[in-house]
Amino acid sequence: MKSLKAEGHSLSDPRIQLDILNQHNERLKTTPKFEEKISEIGLYPLQPNEIEIFQINVGYMCNMTCKHCHVDAGPDRQEIMTKETLKQCLAALDDPRIKTVDLTGGAPEMNPHFRWFVEEVRRKGKKVIVRSNLTILTTNKFGDLPDFFAKHKVEVTCSLPFYSKRRTDQQRGEGTYDKSVSALKILNDLGYGTDPELQLNLVNNPVGAFLPGSQETLEEQFKKELHRSHGIHFNNLFTITNLPISRFLNFLLMSGNLEDYMDKLVQAFNPAAASGVMCRNTISVSWDGYLYDCDFNQMLEIKTHEKAGQHVSEFDLDKLNQRDIKTDQHCYGCTAGAGSSCGGATT
Amino acid sequence: MSKDYYNSDDLKKFPNVTEFQEELGEKFFKYYGAVFEEGALTKREKSLIALAVAHTVQCPYCIDAYSSESLETGASEEQMMEAVHVATAIRGGASLVHGVQMMNKVKDLSM
């Protein structure tokens, strides 16, 4: 499967995506604006609490092309963060208020400077999270990474949409489940999931146009089923709502689910979830060093507020902590139900 | 007037049934909400029961609603289809068990 970008698909243009969400037809035109919704609860303009998580998208290259991918990542994507930009990120990380570095992609492991960068960040005493698709850890080239992760106490947060093969393979491609199970067993053998210093988290994205259920209940089910079937242990399950952008937006349009899905998100708007959205404590850096309020805004090319600085080379945490966060209709995805963030439910 | 007996958009209008009889409607929804709260049974188990019953009473609105609800509460496709088979078995069995009544009658009437 090719990325939307490689296909030359119209949805690879973020302006078209935003246009669809705002005015594709009468139903979407009349969907309440997200800004109005957060105004009603006194949260507009949305502002940070205090940034402490520095999320870096080190490149859109991936060994997989999952159907729901909001990054539109894949083997055909060439965007990758250079060592120079990574050094600019390291300079920004000198600020002690930033506690955590969250590495994402694509498959972040495919960045040629990945190991060097993790070592440098750990040297600064920051916590490192890597968002792994698991399957990459079963390839020859990256097979030694689990040992590297364990050595540097990297927190591994990995995708596994469901505890069954059928639904996992449906979203992420044939053979994904078996490879993921192998990778989880390798991580378990190193102590991940049982050693308190080696945190292993799973991420559940619904396989379709529905919202994730209760994170607590799903975690219980995942733990029971994965242990029963494969003897696998893990620490936490994070439920993440699929945001209506990029490849998932394409699925919604092609399957005729877009309007109902947007209705579902709006109806499930939760003020408590809105006040806990991740953009309030996280900043997102793109492969080319630009700053965004979150990874989703990054994919929609909605940069941080002009006054706060828009590139990591001019990183100023005080300015960023005082900025107005930019929002649009896709933000309903993070405020529905129990809320959604890179760390799972927010309520 | 709608030309179709069933319209999926009507499911969203379900709460509007209180318009013609507010007191009983509200009592129903209060009860309905309480039934589906987590209790001795989990929400997922209740969703699967509701899905099975929806097939027995052949309610397309309920099938839509509880297919979504079952997915959201983490039920697998296998669990959902097994729930439908349970409904089917009971429904079929309910007919078949009356076969005993038929047999009794036949035996009563026969020499």
Side-chain angles (χ1 to χ4, degrees):
Chain A
M1 190 170 123
K2 283 183 175 178
S3 66
L4 294 173
K5 190 175 182 191
E7 272 182 23
H9 197 290
S10 62
L11 282 181
S12 63
D13 183 341
R15 289 167 303 180
I16 291 178
Q17 294 182 44
L18 287 169
D19 199 50
I20 287 171
L21 292 180
N22 281 284
Q23 46 199 355
H24 184 55
N25 56 28
E26 272 315 303
R27 265 181 80 182
L28 292 172
K29 272 183 198 167
T30 53
T31 299
K33 295 294 171 210
F34 184 76
E35 292 183 357
E36 291 165 15
K37 206 79 177 173
I38 56 171
S39 290
E40 288 167 14
I41 54 169
L43 276 180
Y44 184 78
L46 193 62
Q47 288 179 319
N49 292 322
E50 195 164 285
I51 296 168
E52 52 183 10
I53 302 172
F54 194 88
Q55 187 173 65
I56 312 173
N57 193 317
V58 295
Y60 302 160
M61 191 183 285
C62 191
N63 59 323
M64 301 177 77
T65 39
C66 305
K67 284 183 188 165
H68 71 307
C69 183
H70 72 278
V71 179
D72 191 28
D76 56 46
R77 295 299 296 263
Q78 301 300 316
E79 299 90 336
I80 207 97
M81 188 175 270
T82 62
K83 196 163 186 178
E84 191 189 352
T85 309
L86 286 165
K87 282 180 180 168
Q88 289 173 339
C89 291
L90 282 175
L93 290 171
D94 283 336
D95 194 309
R97 289 173 289 180
I98 295 173
K99 313 285 185 209
T100 302
V101 176
D102 184 342
L103 299 174
T104 187
E109 300 95 330
M110 291 178 88
N111 184 302
H113 313 295
F114 175 78
R115 293 170 203 237
W116 163 80
F117 187 70
V118 168
E119 285 169 351
E120 291 299 313
V121 177
R122 288 297 289 146
R123 202 166 285 144
K124 286 180 185 292
K126 314 274 181 188
K127 173 176 161 183
V128 174
I129 300 171
V130 62
R131 294 190 180 268
S132 179
N133 64 27
L134 286 175
T135 66
I136 197 150
L137 304 178
T138 64
T139 61
N140 285 337
K141 192 175 174 186
F142 299 96
D144 59 332
L145 270 176
D147 288 305
F148 174 83
F149 290 158
K151 182 182 170 194
H152 295 286
K153 310 267 188 290
V154 172
E155 183 169 317
V156 181
T157 295
C158 41
S159 318
L160 192 72
F162 207 57
Y163 53 76
S164 74
K165 181 177 167 64
R166 176 192 162 87
R167 214 180 283 176
T168 299
D169 286 359
Q170 206 174 326
Q171 182 182 79
R172 304 178 73 83
E174 197 61 36
T176 299
Y177 183 78
D178 292 339
K179 288 179 190 168
S180 302
V181 166
S182 301
L184 287 169
K185 284 182 175 172
I186 293 168
L187 290 164
N188 274 176
D189 287 345
L190 290 166
Y192 270 99
T194 46
D195 179 339
E197 289 199 310
L198 299 176
Q199 289 288 303
L200 177 62
N201 307 312
L202 299 187
V203 173
N204 154 259
N205 280 92
V207 186
F210 56 93
L211 301 183
S214 150
Q215 182 168 276
E216 198 184 351
T217 310
L218 284 172
E219 181 180 293
E220 205 176 294
Q221 267 178 270
F222 268 65
K223 281 188 170 166
K224 188 176 144 202
E225 292 298 327
L226 287 174
H227 187 257
R228 188 178 61 85
S229 310
H230 308 288
I232 288 170
H233 295 279
F234 66 95
N235 296 100
N236 305 295
L237 179 81
F238 300 147
T239 53
I240 300 189
T241 304
N242 292 316
L243 262 64
I245 69 168
S246 196
R247 266 185 226 151
F248 187 66
L249 175 59
N250 189 34
F251 157 75
L252 291 172
L253 278 165
M254 298 304 287
S255 60
N257 276 304
L258 177 60
E259 292 83 356
D260 283 349
Y261 190 70
M262 285 307 289
D263 277 354
K264 199 181 270 262
L265 293 181
V266 175
Q267 279 163 17
F269 177 80
N270 176 357
S275 63
V277 282
M278 64 179 164
C279 49
R280 303 191 82 182
N281 72 348
T282 305
I283 195 78
S284 158
V285 189
S286 63
W287 67 276
D288 49 359
Y290 284 96
L291 302 176
Y292 297 86
D293 298 307
C294 69
D295 203 48
F296 301 106
N297 275 11
Q298 182 183 142
M299 299 315 145
L300 292 169
E301 295 179 2
I302 303 170
K303 292 193 179 97
T304 44
H305 198 283
E306 295 76 6
K307 289 179 187 166
Q310 294 186 314
H311 195 270
V312 70
S313 57
E314 50 179 346
F315 190 82
D316 182 332
L317 198 53
D318 291 319
K319 278 188 188 171
L320 286 166
N321 272 331
Q322 286 160 24
R323 79 193 191 282
D324 292 344
I325 292 166
K326 294 188 184 171
T327 55
D328 211 309
Q329 295 302 81
H330 62 291
C331 299
Y332 275 117
C334 287
T335 58
S340 177
S341 73
C342 288
T346 57
T347 56
Chain B
M1 189 179 158
S2 168
K3 288 178 185 170
D4 301 311
Y5 285 105
Y6 288 117
N7 177 349
S8 60
D9 282 343
D10 285 348
L11 178 56
K12 289 175 203 151
K13 299 178 192 163
F14 187 25
N16 301 349
V17 297
T18 52
E19 195 182 317
F20 284 8
Q21 222 297 2
E22 193 175 350
E23 190 189 345
L24 292 177
E26 282 181 357
K27 278 183 178 171
F28 170 81
F29 285 117
K30 197 172 172 189
Y31 166 76
Y32 191 98
V35 164
F36 283 95
E37 285 296 313
E38 191 104 4
L41 294 173
T42 64
K43 282 193 174 182
R44 181 173 56 94
E45 288 164 340
K46 288 183 181 184
S47 295
L48 288 169
I49 294 170
L51 184 68
V53 174
H55 283 77
T56 304
V57 297
Q58 293 182 308
C59 167
Y61 303 115
C62 313
I63 292 172
D64 270 8
Y66 286 98
S67 295
S68 297
E69 188 72 16
S70 296
L71 286 170
E72 289 179 5
T73 52
S76 66
E77 285 87 343
E78 290 83 353
Q79 289 168 338
M80 291 163 70
M81 191 52 89
E82 281 185 24
V84 174
H85 277 294
V86 170
T88 305
I90 294 296
R91 196 176 174 137
S95 294
L96 196 56
V97 74
H98 285 81
V100 177
Q101 194 176 343
M102 175 272 286
M103 288 165 74
N104 289 342
K105 187 67 183 173
V106 168
K107 284 173 184 168
D108 284 350
L109 295 174
S110 299
M111 293 175 76

